[in-house]
Amino acid sequence: MVVTIDENVARWAATPIPLGHPGFCLTALVLGPNEIPRILDVAQAQQTPELAVLGVMAHGKDEEPERAVEMAKAALIACHDLPDDRALPYSELVLLSLNQAAKIILEKLMASGQFEYQSDFARKHRGEGEAIGVAKGEARAILSVLEARKVHVPDEVRQRILACTDHTVLERWIRRAVTLASTDELFCDT
């Protein structure tokens, strides 16, 4: 079986291959773009999310932008309830399969709040990413305060500060960094 989103490949793969004996030919089963439906209905996409994604892959670059966006929205909504290990790559495939005009329209819809697609996976990892970013900023703040105060910071202390992700501890270290005489005081009772 051959699955392709390229019509030329589909035609080529569907060409019978003579096997040497009269009447013996191998003909592959081919699923090309002409056989892949354009799924615009959310309920239908939710019943067959893989087919909805495949439809965007096959037609998302060639469709009129508004129609491509409708296919993408249906596929993205269908991906929402899938396990993370499928939802994330499927969602990425949908977004990569749109033409530039459709991407712009979809981004505007998302920015305006008219269409929000964010899976629980994305929300969770976005929140974790934000927390890590805040922790890194707090760690850099501690190092900046110590540098401004001309306090020597050994490499192992620098690494310990940068590795910390506990906001309570980092906030305590920030307060201590303002008044301490050496980095030894930074870690007392932690």
Side-chain angles (χ1 to χ4, degrees):
M1 176 165 206
V2 176
V3 179
T4 179
I5 59 173
D6 185 304
E7 186 54 40
N8 292 327
V9 172
R11 272 194 301 278
W12 168 82
T15 305
I17 303 168
L19 297 178
H21 294 294
F24 288 108
C25 275
L26 174 66
T27 304
L29 296 173
V30 178
L31 180 61
N34 290 335
E35 293 77 33
I36 299 171
R38 293 161 172 84
I39 298 178
L40 302 166
D41 180 67
V42 172
Q44 184 183 1
Q46 288 174 318
Q47 289 175 352
T48 56
E50 287 82 3
L51 189 57
V53 171
L54 190 58
V56 178
M57 291 172 65
H59 307 294
K61 292 205 187 292
D62 301 328
E63 282 293 326
E64 294 178 20
E66 292 78 13
R67 188 168 163 111
V69 167
E70 290 307 310
M71 287 190 312
K73 286 169 47 178
L76 289 170
I77 291 168
C79 290
H80 181 71
D81 293 327
L82 295 175
D84 291 346
D85 64 331
R86 288 174 41 211
L88 184 61
Y90 289 177
S91 300
E92 289 177 4
L93 279 171
V94 166
L95 298 174
L96 289 170
S97 298
L98 296 174
N99 59 47
Q100 191 60 34
K103 284 180 187 176
I104 291 169
I105 292 169
L106 188 60
E107 287 171 2
K108 285 182 181 177
L109 286 172
M110 289 177 172
S112 72
Q114 293 177 8
F115 176 72
E116 181 181 339
Y117 171 75
Q118 204 173 62
S119 66
D120 294 334
F121 174 87
R123 281 190 194 97
K124 173 185 166 195
H125 291 285
R126 178 180 175 190
E128 288 173 4
E130 288 173 353
I132 290 169
V134 168
K136 285 183 178 185
E138 290 172 334
R140 284 194 297 270
I142 294 165
L143 294 172
S144 293
V145 168
L146 294 172
E147 179 183 321
R149 295 191 57 241
K150 309 259 190 270
V151 175
H152 173 69
V153 181
D155 284 340
E156 62 274 2
V157 171
R158 178 179 304 281
Q159 293 308 315
R160 182 172 175 188
I161 292 169
L162 291 172
C164 183
T165 57
D166 185 325
H167 297 289
T168 305
V169 171
L170 288 164
E171 288 174 5
R172 184 175 7 177
W173 291 351
I174 289 171
R175 285 189 294 278
R176 287 181 182 166
V178 174
T179 60
L180 58 73
S182 79
T183 57
D184 294 336
E185 298 172 42
L186 196 62
F187 304 122
C188 63
D189 80 91
T190 57

